[in-house]
Amino acid sequence: MVTDGCARADSRTAPAQRVSGSVPNGRGHHLEAASTMQTKQTSASAKAKSRILLTPLGIIAIAALAVAGLVSWSSGSDEGDVAIGRAGPAGNAITLPDLRNGRILPGNLWPSACQLVDQRDVTAILPEAEQIQQQPGLLYLKSIKEFAADPEWNPNDRAEAGRCQYSMKLPGETYAATQLWVHIHAIADPDVIKRYYAAQVLGGAGTNQGDHGADYCVLAGLSEGTWLCRKGPVLFSVGGQTTVAFKGKPAPAPFVWRDDVNPLIVETVAARIR
């Protein structure tokens, strides 16, 4: 009986002993859960600290890449290979009447602006140009004040070809994205042109760009690449745009066009006005 009692006691305590190895005194389960929770919290805290430490490093890395990109751009790594040529060959001067004594030439008597820069000139200035197309353009010369006083149409108020625009394709362009233009703004007594030009310059940048065969040239505006010039009895402007970069010049090209191409256009136009 004692033996059976001991056996029964052993059979009753055996499960308890098996459990007590992992859950002592019935409280081990709570201790294990607490330990597991603490481990998870420690892991989460480590990850959070990792994120906090890595975030500034990531920002620094991004900033370093950005600076490297700017240095690469400013060092001229995107230099182009499109050639800039020379001013157009000497051609025939435009024919103008005597405009002394304050005379102003009506628009319908103006020569075509395409006589100031023709297709040969475009090829001289941009030797690699292809698909060159010329487009003369109409200019309406009446001011808003004059129109309000007399809205009737008058042929003197129009210059049928007062502006000339060329489109062309340069190496690297998928279509004819480059443009070059010349606009006539006024033709009159040179003294009137000089005074009128001075008044026009007040509204522009007033930056002397040099003569290049003209009497005077300035930038038409602070944010523009257009040159506004005068030569004798003619007030005119030249400009253009392109998507390419020129040989030995860093991209982008707008300032290169302003400083290297426009002078050649001005020189070409000025040679036609004598």
Side-chain angles (χ1 to χ4, degrees), residues 86-89 91 115-118 121-122 124-125 212 262-273:
R86 54 181 177 77
Q115 290 181 250
L116 298 175
V117 176
D118 60 26
D121 301 323
V122 174
I125 295 168
H212 302 283
N262 275 351
L264 300 179
I265 307 174
V266 170
E267 185 178 341
T268 302
V269 173
R272 306 286 194 276
I273 306 169

Side-chain angles (χ1 to χ4, degrees), residues 114-254:
C114 293
Q115 290 181 250
L116 298 175
V117 176
D118 60 26
Q119 189 158 327
R120 291 184 310 151
D121 301 323
V122 174
T123 303
I125 295 168
L126 299 168
E128 297 170 284
E130 299 178 347
Q131 302 178 20
I132 302 172
Q133 294 187 358
Q134 180 192 90
Q135 183 178 3
L138 171 71
L139 284 180
Y140 185 69
L141 306 175
K142 183 177 285 189
S143 69
I144 187 68
K145 183 177 180 180
E146 292 168 335
F147 176 81
D150 181 12
E152 294 297 321
W153 179 82
N154 188 316
N156 293 349
D157 300 328
R158 294 163 59 102
E160 296 297 331
R163 58 189 176 91
C164 188
Q165 180 166 308
Y166 291 91
S167 65
M168 67 205 78
K169 178 182 176 182
L170 292 178
E173 293 181 322
T174 56
Y175 64 96
T178 297
Q179 297 180 343
L180 178 155
W181 63 77
V182 55
H183 293 181
I184 299 173
H185 295 276
I187 299 179
D189 181 333
D191 184 60
V192 173
I193 289 292
K194 184 176 180 179
R195 289 186 281 115
Y196 182 67
Y197 179 79
Q200 293 291 303
V201 166
L202 291 176
T207 304
N208 187 349
Q209 296 300 101
D211 299 339
H212 302 283
D215 294 331
Y216 205 85
C217 289
V218 298
L219 291 178
L222 287 172
S223 61
E224 295 184 23
T226 301
W227 286 32
L228 179 65
C229 304
R230 63 177 174 86
K231 169 69 182 293
V234 182
L235 176 65
F236 66 95
S237 64
V238 305
Q241 61 186 25
T242 187
T243 64
V244 305
F246 293 105
K247 187 173 296 182
K249 306 290 184 179

